[in-house]
Amino acid sequence: MENNNKPKSAVVASLSTIAMAIMIITTIISLRGLPSQAEFGLTSIFYYVFAAIFFLIPFALVCAELASTWTKSGGLFRWVSEAFGPKWGLAAMYLEWQTVVIWFPSVLMFASVALAYTFWPVSFDAWLAGNKIFTVCILLGVYWFSTFNTFRGIKSANKISTLGGLFGTIIPAAILILLGIIYLAMGKEIFLPLDKPFFPDLTNFNTLVLAAGIFLFYGGMEMQAVHVNQMGNPAKQFPKAVFIAVVAILAIFILATLTIGIVIPEKDINLLQTLLIAYNDLWATVGLPWLGNVMALFITFGVIGQVSVIIAGPSTGLLAVGKAGFLPTALQKTNKNGIQTPILYIQAAFVTVLTLVLVVLPSVQSAYQILSQMATITYLIMVLIIYGAFIWLRHTQPNKARGFKIPGGKPFAGIVTIIGFAGALLALVLSFIPPSQITTGSPAVYVGILILGTLIFVAVPFIIYAKKKASWKDAKTDFEPFDWQIEGRQPSQISKQK
C-alpha cells in the first residue's frame, strides 16, 4: 500500500552533495563581520569552532528534517504552526523577517564604508567612512534602489546577487587569504597577539559579546534546508554536504580573520573600516596600493548583491502567512511580477526609521554594533522556537514520513537538540551585554535599547494575531491546510495516523 505521507518532492533528485555544500557556503559566507572576531586573535578560532558545533551543525540537521517532512508552502511558518498553531508560526516567521529588516541597515553601513574606501587619499576615506550623513545617504539610496529593482521580479534581483556573490565575496575572500600568505612569506611585521590563548576567559562576559555575534554569521540555514528533498538520498548526502560546508566555512572564516589580525594591530581594529584598511595595507605590501580601492568597490558590489536577493526572501514568507489568513488582505497583494509590493514598502519604511539610530548613537560603529546585536537577538529567539517545534513534532507526529531524519535515532537527535538549544540560549543571553571592545555610549542606554526593541518586536506578531479578522482569509487561497486541520485535531494532540 502506498504511503500517502511521503513528501511529494522526495522523488526529485537533482541536487548533488557538492551542490548542496556550495549552496550552504555561499549563503553563509560574508566578509563584513571578520573584524569583530579579529579582536580575539587566536581565540577567534575557538569561537568559530564553538559556534559551528553548537549552532551551525545542529540547526542544519534540525531544519533539514523539518523541511523534508513538511514540504508544502510556508517554510518555517508551516513547521512551527504544525507544532504549536499559527499564532507561534506567525511569531517565528515575523521574527525572521524582522531580523532581516534590522540586518539591512547594519550591512548597508558596511557597504557605505566600503564605498568610501574607493576614493583617494586614505585619510579622506577614513573621514568619509565615519561621516553619518554620507552613511545615511548611501544606506537609504542603495536600499530603495534595490527595493525598486526587486519590484521587477526575482530574476532581476538574482542577476545582481549571483555576480555580487562571486566578485564581492568569494574572490575577495580568496585574495585576502592569498595576500596574507604572501605577507608572511615576505617576513613582514606580525601584529597578531600570539600570547592570547586558544580558550577564552569565560569569566569576563563583556569580552564574549562580539563572539556571540558569530551565531548570526552562520544564520540562514533554514533557507537552504528547504532544498533537501531535491537530493537523491538525503539521509546520507545531507550530513556529508553539511560536513563539507562546515570545513570550508571554518577554513575561510578562520584564515581570513587571522589575516586581518596579522596586518592590523588589535588597538586599531574598527568593526566597519578594518577589513578595507587590511586590503589597502596588503596590496601596498606587494607594491599595488591602488588595488585596495578596487577591492573596496568589489566588496561594495558584493553587499549590494547580497541585499538585492534577500530583500524579497523572508517577505515572501510573510506573504504565505497572509495567504493563510493571518495578515490583512492589503498585505496579500502582489504586482504583475508576483512581488509582494505592500510588504516591501513596509519593510523599506522600517529600514528608513532604523537608519535614524545613526543620529542618536555616538558613532557609526556603535550604531552598526547595536543593530547587529538586535538582529542576533531576534534571530536567536526564532531559532529557539524552531527547536521547540522540532521536539514537539517528534512527539506529536512520530509516524510522519520524513525525507531526511537526523541519524543516530532518538538518543542522538536528543543530543543534537540539547546542544543546539543550549548554544542558542547562551548566545541570546550574551547578546544583551555591552561589549568591552568598542564604545557604544551609555551601557544603560545600550541595554535599554536592546530590551525595548526585543519586547516590541516579539509583541508585534501576537498583537497582529489577536486582531485577526475572518475577512482576511481568502476563500480562493492556494495555501494548503495544516496536517492537524486535515486530521481534525489540535496541534498539541498526538496524531493517530500510521
Side-chain angles (χ1 to χ4, degrees):
M1 183 176 178
E2 184 179 353
N3 184 356
N4 293 326
N5 286 333
K6 188 174 183 180
K8 294 179 182 179
S9 57
V11 297
V12 181
S14 59
L15 202 59
S16 68
T17 301
I18 296 298
M20 174 61 84
I22 292 173
M23 287 172 64
I24 295 172
I25 292 169
T26 52
T27 299
I28 291 174
I29 289 294
S30 175
L31 302 181
R32 72 182 182 90
L34 299 181
S36 67
Q37 303 311 315
E39 296 258 2
F40 299 99
L42 295 177
T43 314
S44 65
I45 301 175
F46 169 86
Y47 289 128
Y48 280 123
V49 174
F50 177 87
I53 294 174
F54 283 83
F55 179 74
L56 178 58
I57 296 175
F59 196 50
L61 296 175
V62 165
C63 287
E65 180 167 323
L66 291 170
S68 67
T69 306
W70 288 272
T71 59
K72 298 174 183 177
S73 64
L76 67 91
F77 168 62
R78 183 173 293 277
W79 308 344
V80 177
S81 296
E82 290 285 4
F84 305 127
K87 179 192 294 185
W88 285 95
L90 168 60
M93 189 68 252
Y94 176 85
L95 287 172
E96 185 189 45
W97 174 78
Q98 189 66 73
T99 296
V100 173
V101 170
I102 302 169
W103 173 85
F104 279 128
S106 63
V107 74
L108 286 170
M109 285 180 203
F110 177 69
S112 69
V113 170
L115 184 62
Y117 272 81
T118 61
F119 303 104
W120 287 268
V122 174
S123 58
F124 174 75
D125 295 345
W127 172 83
L128 192 61
N131 185 279
K132 292 182 180 180
I133 296 177
F134 172 80
T135 301
V136 169
C137 290
I138 297 300
L139 193 158
L140 293 180
V142 170
Y143 184 81
W144 279 97
F145 166 80
S146 298
T147 296
F148 289 131
N149 183 59
T150 302
F151 287 175
R152 300 169 57 193
I154 297 299
K155 287 185 178 180
S156 179
N158 282 345
K159 288 180 181 178
I160 297 177
S161 176
T162 302
L163 294 173
L166 177 61
F167 293 102
T169 300
I170 297 175
I171 292 177
I175 290 174
L176 180 65
I177 295 171
L178 179 61
L179 288 173
I181 295 173
I182 295 173
Y183 184 91
L184 290 175
M186 294 176 68
K188 298 292 184 178
E189 182 178 5
I190 298 175
F191 294 101
L192 188 71
L194 300 177
D195 57 328
K196 286 193 174 182
F198 173 78
F199 294 100
D201 178 8
L202 300 178
T203 62
N204 189 350
F205 280 176
N206 293 81
T207 64
L208 302 179
V209 179
L210 293 183
I214 288 183
F215 279 62
L216 192 58
F217 284 17
Y218 291 146
M221 184 54 70
E222 72 279 2
M223 300 178 189
Q224 292 303 341
V226 298
H227 301 296
V228 70
N229 280 329
Q230 297 175 25
M231 306 183 83
N233 188 348
K236 290 184 178 180
Q237 287 180 282
F238 189 74
K240 290 181 181 178
V242 170
F243 176 77
I244 293 170
V246 168
V247 171
I249 290 167
L250 284 175
I252 293 172
F253 274 154
I254 290 172
L255 292 176
T257 298
L258 293 180
T259 297
I260 292 174
I262 288 171
V263 179
I264 307 296
E266 181 183 359
K267 63 181 179 62
D268 295 331
I269 289 179
N270 176 290
L271 296 185
L272 285 165
Q273 300 183 32
T274 292
L275 177 64
L276 288 309
I277 295 172
Y279 274 115
N280 284 345
D281 292 350
L282 287 167
W283 281 117
T285 299
V286 296
L288 299 169
W290 60 273
L291 281 177
N293 300 81
V294 174
M295 196 60 60
L297 189 61
F298 275 32
I299 292 173
T300 303
F301 180 56
V303 174
I304 294 173
Q306 190 178 24
V307 168
S308 182
V309 74
I310 294 179
I311 276 180
S315 63
T316 302
L318 276 188
L319 180 64
V321 173
K323 295 293 186 182
F326 299 101
L327 289 179
T329 53
L331 297 180
Q332 301 177 33
K333 297 178 180 179
T334 58
N335 65 8
K336 63 180 182 180
N337 297 315
I339 300 299
Q340 53 282 3
T341 49
I343 293 177
L344 289 183
Y345 273 123
I346 292 176
Q347 182 171 292
F350 260 105
V351 172
T352 302
V353 171
L354 286 173
T355 302
L356 298 179
V357 172
L358 283 171
V359 178
V360 298
L361 288 174
S363 69
V364 173
Q365 182 179 210
S366 60
Y368 176 87
Q369 173 60 21
I370 200 167
L371 288 175
S372 295
Q373 289 304 115
M374 193 70 253
T376 300
I377 289 168
T378 54
Y379 186 77
L380 289 173
I381 293 174
M382 179 211 72
V383 168
L384 292 176
I385 293 174
I386 290 178
Y387 275 121
F390 171 78
I391 295 170
W392 194 242
L393 287 171
R394 273 290 187 105
H395 173 68
T396 58
Q397 298 196 45
N399 299 319
K400 179 81 172 178
R402 285 158 167 82
F404 169 81
K405 196 169 186 178
I406 295 178
K410 288 184 178 179
F412 186 71
I415 293 172
V416 166
T417 306
I418 291 172
I419 289 175
F421 190 93
L425 184 60
L426 174 63
L428 177 62
V429 173
L430 291 175
S431 296
F432 284 95
I433 301 173
S436 61
Q437 296 93 334
I438 63 173
T439 301
T440 55
S442 168
V445 172
Y446 178 88
V447 175
I449 290 175
L450 291 180
I451 293 176
L452 181 61
T454 299
L455 291 175
I456 292 174
F457 293 147
V458 170
V460 167
F462 293 101
I463 294 173
I464 293 174
Y465 184 84
K467 298 294 184 179
K468 72 180 186 304
K469 299 178 181 179
S471 60
W472 292 0
K473 183 68 175 290
D474 185 352
K476 299 180 180 179
T477 183
D478 56 359
F479 188 86
E480 298 175 272
F482 301 111
D483 287 354
W484 49 269
Q485 290 178 317
I486 296 174
E487 298 171 23
R489 61 179 175 84
Q490 294 298 314
S492 58
Q493 295 176 322
I494 298 177
S495 173
K496 296 181 179 179
Q497 287 197 358
K498 300 294 185 181

